[in-house]
Amino acid sequence: MNITRENIDDLNAVLKVDIAKDDYNEKVQKVLKDYRKSANIPGFRKGHVPMGLVQKQYGKAVLVDEVNKLLQDSLQKYLTEEKLDVLGNPLPKDQEDLNWDAGDYTFEFELGLAPKFEVDLQPKKAITSYTIVVDDKMVDNQITTIQKQYGKITSKQEVEKDDEVSGSFVNEEAEFEKKTMFEVAKLKGKANTSAFVGAKVGDTVTVSTKGLFEEAGDYRSFLGLSEEEAKEKNLEVSFTIEEVNHREPADLDQELFDKLYGPGVITSVTELKEKIKEEGENQFKQQSDQQLLNDVTERLIENTEFDLPAEFLKKWIQRSGEKELTFEEAVEEYERSEKGLRYQLIEGKIIADNELQITFEEIKAYAKEMIKAQMAQFGQNDPKDEELEGIAARILSNQDEVKRLSEQLMNKKLLDFFKENVKLKEKEVTFDEFVKEVYN
């Protein structure tokens, strides 16, 4: 067997594979002998079928199968030994006139080669790294929410301003429907409030989605639309009141503190506020970290220029799925996936250049920390290492879980790396300011 490579350009190459009869004949004969032992052909005893008949009946199929296996093994070995960084898989060139009776064969494969490029981690314009702080207003709102959540609920027939209503916003023409529950006090403006106050269970109220709620986040929670979408669509929606409830807020006393955090953990309103602030900022840290990862990703894709073997990739996408696509469908899929492919290559280079690879021991340690955190949520604050080892072993026996944890851990490693090496600008904001800057 002989494999030669012709580089068409920096991103495309053709592999030529010459296979001689001696490369495959021994395996083909072995398979045919095994077939002869088990062949069940009328007129012949099992194991005594003439070899010529076995050859005639099965020879071509066995030959094709063994040559294909040899091709795949040889190609993989060649790519590994030559350290070729390819995109997709080698694509066989069409050979409609291939003569399987020839004995010696020549096959050609197209290769898409990964581009060579450098990654600049110091952009001219620094990337904003947000620190989201929990302000007093947010703490007070959370305490109010907690008091209502744990307060006494009284069912009513008529709506007052301090009540909450259940039902569905509907616009049949726009095929819009959103089942929801909200507090009347969250509505914006006298007209919207007046439409509900005084209405009874079973009544239908009509309002517009534009300017319906005071807070931007309430549109998403209660309408399933962003504030901008609600404004643009400006749908006239009907709301049939199914239920009216009044919540008497719970007292801020030790009984409530114990329900929230366990006996004696919190003993005053001041401690409660500090705890809420701490929990909120921990939660927001995950959000700001994810945003930083997204922003760095976008900037790296934007600033790292390189060409891809686009025509090869379109052909590979066309042929590589369970069902072959039309070329037009393959082009559309390539355009959808090109950005993701670019980042995969950038990320792979960063990982390789900076030795950010993950070991199995790191995955296991990460899994144990996650298990420990989850157990703490249920009051198990000091689990034994043997217990953690056992749970981690069960989780890591599942390959899908290993993959999921590996991706999470790699994202964490990349995030830590970016914080240390990318040009960043620190900015402290409230959550509302963060939403306005990031999502507007």
Side-chain angles (χ1 to χ4, degrees):
M1 177 184 295
N2 185 45
I3 301 180
T4 55
R5 180 173 86 249
E6 178 188 356
N7 289 332
I8 307 302
D9 53 38
D10 290 341
L11 298 173
N12 296 275
V14 173
L15 287 186
K16 184 179 177 183
V17 185
D18 295 315
I19 295 180
K21 187 172 183 178
D22 289 344
D23 295 322
Y24 62 82
N25 192 50
E26 185 178 338
K27 287 187 177 180
V28 169
Q29 294 307 315
K30 182 180 183 305
V31 173
L32 289 175
K33 285 177 183 177
D34 290 339
Y35 273 33
R36 185 189 183 201
K37 292 176 186 176
S38 58
N40 192 0
I41 297 178
F44 298 96
R45 285 186 297 136
K46 192 172 182 180
H48 292 271
V49 179
M51 195 62 186
L53 188 57
V54 173
Q55 176 76 39
K56 183 178 179 181
Q57 187 159 346
Y58 300 109
K60 182 65 69 66
V62 172
L63 169 65
V64 172
D65 188 48
E66 290 302 320
V67 168
N68 279 329
K69 285 180 186 176
L70 183 59
L71 271 175
Q72 295 306 315
D73 291 344
S74 302
L75 284 171
Q76 189 58 51
K77 184 179 178 183
Y78 178 85
L79 295 177
T80 302
E81 289 178 349
E82 294 293 315
K83 297 181 180 177
L84 286 180
D85 194 0
V86 299
L87 302 180
N89 294 313
L91 281 180
K93 298 184 80 170
D94 292 333
Q95 291 177 271
E96 294 179 2
D97 58 347
L98 180 65
N99 180 11
W100 285 102
D101 295 325
D104 297 341
Y105 313 105
T106 296
F107 300 91
E108 290 187 336
F109 293 84
E110 295 179 60
L111 293 184
L113 305 176
K116 297 186 184 306
F117 57 90
E118 295 300 322
V119 179
D120 183 6
L121 296 169
Q122 295 293 319
K124 291 180 181 179
K125 186 179 179 182
I127 298 171
T128 302
S129 176
Y130 294 97
T131 299
I132 305 174
V133 295
V134 175
D135 57 13
D136 292 341
K137 178 185 175 184
M138 183 171 284
V139 171
D140 291 340
N141 287 341
Q142 181 62 19
I143 288 176
T144 299
T145 300
I146 289 170
Q147 286 182 277
K148 288 180 179 178
Q149 182 181 347
Y150 286 87
K152 181 182 177 182
I153 301 175
T154 305
S155 180
K156 299 176 62 179
Q157 288 299 307
E158 185 173 326
V159 181
E160 293 183 72
K161 188 174 181 180
D162 293 332
D163 295 336
E164 61 186 26
V165 293
S166 299
S168 297
F169 286 112
V170 176
N171 181 305
E172 292 183 357
E173 186 177 342
E175 297 183 344
F176 176 84
E177 182 172 355
K178 172 64 175 174
K179 189 172 180 64
T180 190
M181 178 182 73
F182 63 91
E183 298 172 46
V184 176
K186 290 185 175 289
L187 294 167
K188 184 178 183 179
K190 289 183 179 179
N192 288 326
T193 303
S194 299
F196 280 87
V197 172
K200 295 181 174 61
V201 173
D203 288 351
T204 298
V205 175
T206 301
V207 291
S208 295
T209 58
K210 180 182 177 181
L212 186 56
F213 293 105
E214 285 283 358
E215 301 290 338
D218 290 342
Y219 286 88
R220 184 69 69 188
S221 300
F222 306 133
L223 275 176
L225 303 171
S226 68
E227 184 177 16
E228 291 72 24
E229 288 171 329
K231 182 179 179 181
E232 275 181 32
K233 293 177 185 291
N234 195 21
L235 296 175
E236 187 175 85
V237 288
S238 62
F239 187 93
T240 301
I241 299 171
E242 298 174 0
E243 193 175 347
V244 181
N245 288 311
H246 180 74
R247 290 180 182 263
E248 193 67 37
D251 292 331
L252 293 174
D253 56 17
Q254 193 61 48
E255 182 182 354
L256 178 61
F257 303 154
D258 290 348
K259 283 180 182 178
L260 293 172
Y261 296 104
V265 176
I266 299 294
T267 59
S268 67
V269 173
T270 300
E271 290 180 8
L272 176 63
K273 288 184 175 183
E274 290 172 353
K275 189 72 171 174
I276 290 171
K277 182 177 175 68
E278 177 191 341
E279 290 177 337
E281 291 181 350
N282 284 338
Q283 183 179 345
F284 290 148
K285 186 176 186 304
Q286 297 175 14
Q287 197 163 348
S288 60
D289 279 349
Q290 185 59 53
Q291 188 60 42
L292 176 60
L293 196 57
N294 294 345
D295 289 343
V296 172
T297 298
E298 289 292 332
R299 188 71 64 85
L300 288 174
I301 293 172
E302 182 184 320
N303 288 354
T304 309
E305 295 185 3
F306 53 81
D307 293 325
L308 291 169
E311 294 309 309
F312 168 83
L313 289 169
K314 290 169 189 174
K315 284 195 284 186
W316 178 71
I317 289 171
Q318 183 182 9
R319 301 184 198 175
S320 62
E322 291 183 9
K323 177 184 176 184
E324 185 165 327
L325 305 177
T326 66
F327 188 70
E328 290 74 21
E329 290 172 331
V331 170
E332 289 178 10
E333 180 59 31
Y334 172 76
E335 289 172 352
R336 280 195 296 268
S337 59
E338 182 186 0
K339 188 175 180 180
L341 174 57
R342 287 183 177 278
Y343 184 66
Q344 282 181 18
L345 291 169
I346 294 167
E347 183 185 90
K349 183 168 178 59
I350 292 171
I351 291 169
D353 288 352
N354 298 280
E355 299 181 351
L356 300 179
Q357 289 82 3
I358 294 171
T359 66
F360 185 78
E361 285 303 312
E362 287 177 310
I363 297 172
K364 185 167 79 168
Y366 181 67
K368 286 168 70 174
E369 285 302 314
M370 289 187 65
I371 296 163
K372 199 172 179 180
Q374 289 171 357
M375 292 174 76
Q377 293 178 0
F378 297 95
Q380 294 176 269
N381 294 312
D382 192 24
K384 293 181 178 179
D385 192 61
E386 295 83 4
E387 187 177 5
L388 294 174
E389 283 279 349
I391 299 172
R394 288 197 296 273
I395 291 173
L396 297 177
S397 65
N398 183 321
Q399 288 303 308
D400 290 337
E401 282 297 307
V402 172
K403 182 181 177 184
R404 183 179 67 83
L405 290 171
S406 297
E407 289 172 354
Q408 289 180 1
L409 183 54
M410 180 52 73
N411 280 340
K412 183 177 182 301
K413 277 199 171 191
L414 284 167
L415 181 64
D416 291 341
F417 175 80
F418 291 149
K419 285 181 177 181
E420 290 289 330
N421 295 278
V422 174
K423 186 177 179 182
L424 301 177
K425 175 181 69 176
E426 303 288 338
K427 187 169 185 180
E428 193 173 280
V429 292
T430 64
F431 181 70
D432 287 343
E433 291 168 340
F434 174 77
V435 170
K436 285 180 182 177
E437 287 201 24
V438 169
Y439 299 109
N440 287 350

